[in-house]
Amino acid sequence: MQRARIIYNPTSGRELIRKMLPDILKRLEQDGYETSTHATTCAGDAIKAARIASERKFDIVVAAGGDGTINEVIAGLAEQPHRPRVGIIPTGTTNDFARALRIPRNDINKALDVILRNEVSALDIGRVNNKYFINIAGGGKITELTYEVPSKMKTMLGQLAYYLKGMEMLPSIRPTYVEIDYDGKVYEGEIMLFLVSNTNSVGGLEKLAPEAKMDDGVFNLMIIEKMNVAEFIRLATMAIQGTHLNHPKFLHMTAARISVKTKEKMHLNIDGEYGGLLPGEFTNLYRHIEFFIPEAKGK
């Protein structure tokens, strides 16, 4: 009998996962998995739980929560000698990684169907400064809103909480001078933000990097150059519509290794959470972990 470990955030998604847990356990057991659970209690707890699951050689780990919880589970498994296959039950606010994988985001049972179907694919993950990310890392004042929005506000308002916080932060956005080395090429200049993406779904926007693939060994590097607030709002509107790619101040390139240095203090955002301060060294770990995916998922 194979063994499954569910690592879940009990407060994620209006606490629905906690209510559904008995049904999830029943279905996994019926499918032949000896199943146990771990409820996270604080930041970093899912990292420890995933590492223990790796050491104990569980066959699969099911990460249930938002992008932050999934990030921690992957961080706990990354570069370990034994890496269980990973299933995703998305119950967060944005669920960018699940969105990119086309895993159902509003139905726990349908997300569990994906796991029980037993279709897997080896996907890339990112490493930066000895931390890991599955979806995106980046820097710039506006990227800080993902971890400055209070969790209770996210629970009550969902995606709207980010839009409200973003409007509040707009007047404080300032450009920062950076030096970015990407696979030996160099960019220097003042920017509003940069993003290092592993998927096509960023902040709920699926068209920001429409050609991104999760199993090609490279990141999508996106840079928004210096502009005023009115220009920034216009570009953000274009990004929502998917018409931003030809904007002269939106730069897009691919690279497997990226180095970012700044002259001023700039926070590093890793999968929506605070990841310390730059500089940063970003490395793509090619097809590093196997994930359960829908049958219709394309490469």
Side-chain angles (χ1 to χ4, degrees), residues 14-285:
R14 297 179 174 85
E15 303 184 2
L16 182 60
I17 185 67
R18 184 157 51 187
K19 301 170 187 175
M20 293 284 294
L21 199 56
D23 291 334
I24 296 170
L25 286 167
K26 179 181 178 181
R27 290 192 63 193
L28 284 166
E29 293 278 354
Q30 288 176 339
D31 206 62
Y33 289 100
E34 181 183 320
T35 309
S36 58
T37 67
H38 176 91
T40 60
T41 57
C42 60
D45 191 34
I47 298 176
K48 297 175 184 177
R51 197 157 290 155
I52 290 171
S54 173
E55 293 169 355
R56 294 180 180 174
K57 291 184 168 50
F58 275 81
D59 298 286
I60 73 170
V61 167
V62 177
D67 286 321
T69 300
I70 296 167
N71 167 275
E72 287 197 5
V73 169
I74 298 309
L77 300 180
E79 302 192 84
Q80 295 300 307
H82 172 75
R83 295 189 289 274
R85 291 164 290 156
V86 176
I88 306 295
I89 296 180
T91 60
T93 304
T94 306
N95 300 307
D96 269 323
F97 190 62
R99 186 191 304 268
L101 286 177
R102 300 290 185 261
I103 293 173
R105 289 170 284 120
N106 300 308
D107 191 316
I108 288 177
N109 276 316
K110 287 184 178 179
L112 188 57
D113 287 341
V114 173
I115 298 169
L116 299 181
R117 209 173 284 130
N118 203 31
E119 297 281 342
V120 297
S121 181
L123 305 179
D124 306 340
I125 67 168
R127 182 180 66 212
V128 52
N129 297 352
N130 297 318
K131 296 182 179 181
Y132 301 90
F133 61 99
I134 50 171
N135 190 60
I136 194 163
K141 183 67 178 178
I142 196 66
T143 68
E144 297 172 22
L145 72 88
T146 57
Y147 50 82
E148 288 194 357
V149 176
S151 59
K152 288 185 178 179
M153 187 176 178
K154 287 190 286 187
T155 298
M156 291 173 60
L157 301 178
Q159 192 75 17
L160 178 61
Y162 291 119
Y163 295 135
L164 294 175
K165 187 66 177 181
M167 294 300 293
E168 177 188 321
M169 294 176 67
L170 276 175
S172 67
I173 296 175
R174 298 289 184 274
T176 303
Y177 182 86
V178 299
E179 297 178 15
I180 302 178
D181 182 305
Y182 55 103
D183 284 353
K185 300 175 184 177
V186 178
Y187 171 89
E188 296 183 42
E190 288 187 292
I191 68 170
M192 307 304 286
L193 64 87
F194 77 92
L195 300 171
V196 178
S197 176
N198 190 41
T199 76
N200 69 337
S201 182
V202 180
L205 304 177
E206 296 184 56
K207 299 177 181 179
L208 199 62
E211 301 301 317
K213 295 182 179 180
M214 290 176 278
D215 59 358
D216 59 359
V218 295
F219 298 120
N220 283 261
L221 171 62
M222 292 165 278
I223 298 170
I224 296 180
E225 296 187 298
K226 178 182 177 181
M227 60 180 64
N228 60 41
V229 172
E231 288 178 304
F232 189 86
I233 293 173
R234 179 173 178 272
L235 179 56
T237 302
M238 293 174 68
I240 293 171
Q241 298 169 344
T243 60
H244 61 292
L245 294 176
N246 293 323
H247 192 287
K249 292 187 177 180
F250 179 87
L251 308 182
H252 178 217
M253 54 282 283
T254 59
R257 290 181 179 272
I258 300 167
S259 171
V260 180
K261 299 177 182 178
T262 66
K263 289 186 176 180
E264 302 172 42
K265 184 172 76 171
M266 181 183 275
H267 290 192
L268 175 61
N269 184 310
I270 300 178
D271 282 338
E273 303 293 336
Y274 175 67
L277 298 175
L278 291 160
E281 297 283 340
F282 303 79
T283 303
N284 187 289
L285 301 180

